[in-house]
Short mmCIF file of all heavy atoms in Angstrom, two decimals:
data_model
loop_
_atom_site.label_atom_id
_atom_site.label_comp_id
_atom_site.label_asym_id
_atom_site.label_seq_id
_atom_site.Cartn_x
_atom_site.Cartn_y
_atom_site.Cartn_z
N VAL F 234 -22.08 33.82 39.28
CA VAL F 234 -21.97 33.05 40.51
C VAL F 234 -22.28 33.93 41.72
O VAL F 234 -23.00 33.53 42.65
CB VAL F 234 -20.55 32.44 40.64
CG1 VAL F 234 -20.34 31.82 42.02
CG2 VAL F 234 -20.35 31.39 39.56
N PHE F 235 -21.78 35.16 41.69
CA PHE F 235 -22.03 36.08 42.81
C PHE F 235 -23.53 36.35 42.97
O PHE F 235 -24.09 36.22 44.06
CB PHE F 235 -21.27 37.40 42.58
CG PHE F 235 -21.59 38.45 43.60
CD1 PHE F 235 -21.08 38.36 44.89
CD2 PHE F 235 -22.42 39.52 43.28
CE1 PHE F 235 -21.39 39.31 45.84
CE2 PHE F 235 -22.73 40.48 44.23
CZ PHE F 235 -22.21 40.38 45.51
N VAL F 236 -24.17 36.72 41.88
CA VAL F 236 -25.60 37.06 41.94
C VAL F 236 -26.42 35.84 42.36
O VAL F 236 -27.33 35.94 43.19
CB VAL F 236 -26.07 37.61 40.57
CG1 VAL F 236 -27.58 37.76 40.55
CG2 VAL F 236 -25.40 38.93 40.27
N VAL F 237 -26.07 34.69 41.77
CA VAL F 237 -26.81 33.46 42.09
C VAL F 237 -26.65 33.12 43.58
O VAL F 237 -27.62 32.82 44.27
CB VAL F 237 -26.29 32.30 41.20
CG1 VAL F 237 -26.66 30.95 41.79
CG2 VAL F 237 -26.88 32.44 39.80
N ASP F 238 -25.42 33.22 44.10
CA ASP F 238 -25.21 32.92 45.51
C ASP F 238 -25.97 33.91 46.40
O ASP F 238 -26.53 33.55 47.42
CB ASP F 238 -23.71 32.94 45.85
CG ASP F 238 -23.03 31.68 45.36
OD1 ASP F 238 -23.75 30.78 44.88
OD2 ASP F 238 -21.79 31.59 45.44
N LEU F 239 -25.96 35.17 45.96
CA LEU F 239 -26.66 36.20 46.72
C LEU F 239 -28.14 35.84 46.88
O LEU F 239 -28.68 35.84 47.98
CB LEU F 239 -26.52 37.53 45.97
CG LEU F 239 -27.03 38.77 46.69
CD1 LEU F 239 -26.09 39.12 47.83
CD2 LEU F 239 -27.11 39.95 45.71
N PHE F 240 -28.79 35.52 45.78
CA PHE F 240 -30.23 35.28 45.83
C PHE F 240 -30.58 33.90 46.39
O PHE F 240 -31.72 33.65 46.72
CB PHE F 240 -30.87 35.49 44.45
CG PHE F 240 -31.01 36.95 44.13
CD1 PHE F 240 -30.13 37.57 43.26
CD2 PHE F 240 -32.00 37.70 44.75
CE1 PHE F 240 -30.24 38.93 43.00
CE2 PHE F 240 -32.12 39.06 44.49
CZ PHE F 240 -31.23 39.68 43.61
N ARG F 241 -29.57 33.04 46.48
CA ARG F 241 -29.83 31.77 47.15
C ARG F 241 -29.68 31.95 48.66
O ARG F 241 -30.29 31.22 49.44
CB ARG F 241 -28.87 30.68 46.65
CG ARG F 241 -29.16 30.30 45.20
CD ARG F 241 -28.59 28.96 44.85
NE ARG F 241 -27.16 28.90 45.12
CZ ARG F 241 -26.50 27.78 45.31
NH1 ARG F 241 -27.15 26.63 45.27
NH2 ARG F 241 -25.20 27.80 45.53
N ALA F 242 -28.85 32.93 49.04
CA ALA F 242 -28.57 33.10 50.47
C ALA F 242 -29.64 33.95 51.16
O ALA F 242 -30.00 33.69 52.29
CB ALA F 242 -27.19 33.75 50.63
N LEU F 243 -30.13 34.98 50.48
CA LEU F 243 -31.10 35.88 51.10
C LEU F 243 -32.46 35.20 51.27
O LEU F 243 -32.95 34.55 50.36
CB LEU F 243 -31.29 37.13 50.23
CG LEU F 243 -30.18 38.18 50.29
CD1 LEU F 243 -30.44 39.24 49.22
CD2 LEU F 243 -30.13 38.82 51.67
N PRO F 244 -33.10 35.38 52.43
CA PRO F 244 -34.47 34.88 52.56
C PRO F 244 -35.38 35.64 51.59
O PRO F 244 -35.27 36.86 51.48
CB PRO F 244 -34.83 35.21 54.01
CG PRO F 244 -33.53 35.46 54.70
CD PRO F 244 -32.59 35.97 53.66
N PRO F 245 -36.26 34.93 50.89
CA PRO F 245 -37.12 35.59 49.91
C PRO F 245 -37.89 36.78 50.49
O PRO F 245 -38.03 37.81 49.83
CB PRO F 245 -38.08 34.49 49.48
CG PRO F 245 -37.35 33.22 49.75
CD PRO F 245 -36.44 33.48 50.91
N LEU F 246 -38.33 36.64 51.74
CA LEU F 246 -39.11 37.73 52.33
C LEU F 246 -38.28 39.00 52.43
O LEU F 246 -38.77 40.11 52.19
CB LEU F 246 -39.61 37.32 53.73
CG LEU F 246 -40.50 38.34 54.43
CD1 LEU F 246 -41.72 38.69 53.57
CD2 LEU F 246 -40.95 37.81 55.79
N VAL F 247 -37.00 38.84 52.74
CA VAL F 247 -36.11 40.00 52.84
C VAL F 247 -36.01 40.70 51.48
O VAL F 247 -36.05 41.93 51.39
CB VAL F 247 -34.71 39.57 53.34
CG1 VAL F 247 -33.73 40.72 53.26
CG2 VAL F 247 -34.80 39.02 54.75
N ILE F 248 -35.92 39.90 50.42
CA ILE F 248 -35.81 40.50 49.08
C ILE F 248 -37.09 41.26 48.74
O ILE F 248 -37.05 42.39 48.23
CB ILE F 248 -35.55 39.40 48.02
CG1 ILE F 248 -34.31 38.59 48.42
CG2 ILE F 248 -35.36 40.02 46.65
CD1 ILE F 248 -34.12 37.33 47.58
N ILE F 249 -38.22 40.64 49.04
CA ILE F 249 -39.51 41.28 48.74
C ILE F 249 -39.61 42.62 49.48
O ILE F 249 -39.92 43.66 48.88
CB ILE F 249 -40.68 40.36 49.16
CG1 ILE F 249 -40.71 39.12 48.28
CG2 ILE F 249 -42.01 41.12 49.07
CD1 ILE F 249 -41.74 38.07 48.70
N VAL F 250 -39.29 42.61 50.76
CA VAL F 250 -39.40 43.82 51.57
C VAL F 250 -38.42 44.89 51.08
O VAL F 250 -38.77 46.06 50.96
CB VAL F 250 -39.16 43.48 53.06
CG1 VAL F 250 -38.98 44.73 53.88
CG2 VAL F 250 -40.31 42.64 53.58
N LEU F 251 -37.19 44.46 50.73
CA LEU F 251 -36.19 45.41 50.22
C LEU F 251 -36.69 46.08 48.95
O LEU F 251 -36.56 47.30 48.80
CB LEU F 251 -34.87 44.68 49.92
CG LEU F 251 -33.87 44.58 51.07
CD1 LEU F 251 -32.69 43.74 50.63
CD2 LEU F 251 -33.41 45.98 51.48
N ILE F 252 -37.26 45.28 48.04
CA ILE F 252 -37.71 45.87 46.78
C ILE F 252 -38.93 46.76 47.00
O ILE F 252 -39.01 47.87 46.48
CB ILE F 252 -38.01 44.75 45.75
CG1 ILE F 252 -36.70 44.08 45.32
CG2 ILE F 252 -38.75 45.31 44.54
CD1 ILE F 252 -36.85 43.03 44.26
N TYR F 253 -39.84 46.30 47.82
CA TYR F 253 -41.10 47.03 48.00
C TYR F 253 -40.90 48.32 48.80
O TYR F 253 -41.40 49.37 48.43
CB TYR F 253 -42.12 46.14 48.70
CG TYR F 253 -43.49 46.76 48.82
CD1 TYR F 253 -44.29 46.95 47.70
CD2 TYR F 253 -43.97 47.17 50.06
CE1 TYR F 253 -45.56 47.51 47.82
CE2 TYR F 253 -45.23 47.74 50.18
CZ TYR F 253 -46.02 47.91 49.06
OH TYR F 253 -47.26 48.47 49.18
N PHE F 254 -40.12 48.22 49.90
CA PHE F 254 -39.95 49.38 50.76
C PHE F 254 -38.67 50.15 50.45
O PHE F 254 -38.57 51.34 50.73
CB PHE F 254 -39.95 48.97 52.24
CG PHE F 254 -41.27 48.42 52.70
CD1 PHE F 254 -41.44 47.06 52.92
CD2 PHE F 254 -42.36 49.27 52.90
CE1 PHE F 254 -42.66 46.55 53.34
CE2 PHE F 254 -43.58 48.76 53.32
CZ PHE F 254 -43.73 47.40 53.53
N GLY F 255 -37.69 49.46 49.87
CA GLY F 255 -36.39 50.10 49.64
C GLY F 255 -36.29 50.79 48.30
O GLY F 255 -35.80 51.92 48.21
#
Side-chain angles (χ1 to χ4, degrees):
Chain F
V234 171
F235 174 75
V236 171
V237 161
D238 283 354
L239 187 72
F240 283 103
R241 291 200 305 158
L243 283 172
L246 183 57
V247 172
I248 305 169
I249 293 174
V250 168
L251 271 175
I252 291 183
Y253 185 71
F254 294 106

